[in-house]
Amino acid sequence: MSGRKFYAKELNELAHTNDARKRISELRRAGLDIQDSWQPNGCKLYWINLNDNRQLDFWSKWEGVRYD
């Protein structure tokens, strides 16, 4: 919810996973508005659409949930 944009590799390191893109897909199916954009280096940046106030409600449902 920081508003930062991340590459999948960075998200893998932060979340201690090897497939952040799968988690992003799961979160999108659950209703989270995750935006993305291809970069000139061939990688994709991901970020949460913070302009949609419903996102805050979404996160309150998931507070304390572990994704191990």
Side-chain angles (χ1 to χ4, degrees):
M1 298 304 293
S2 69
R4 288 185 50 205
K5 297 179 180 183
F6 297 93
Y7 291 108
K9 180 180 178 181
E10 295 171 305
L11 293 170
N12 285 336
E13 292 170 3
L14 289 169
H16 306 288
T17 183
N18 62 357
D19 196 358
R21 294 172 300 159
K22 180 179 178 185
R23 300 291 184 199
I24 290 167
S25 294
E26 292 169 353
L27 290 169
R28 283 177 168 162
R29 281 193 299 274
L32 189 60
D33 186 9
I34 299 176
Q35 302 291 309
D36 60 55
S37 174
W38 285 105
Q39 300 302 294
N41 64 3
C43 296
K44 196 182 275 191
L45 276 177
Y46 298 92
W47 67 94
I48 297 172
N49 178 9
L50 296 177
N51 294 324
D52 185 349
N53 291 333
R54 293 175 299 165
Q55 303 308 315
L56 297 175
D57 293 335
F58 177 90
W59 282 113
S60 66
K61 290 190 313 187
W62 296 97
E63 190 172 344
V65 174
R66 293 185 52 140
Y67 297 97
D68 298 338

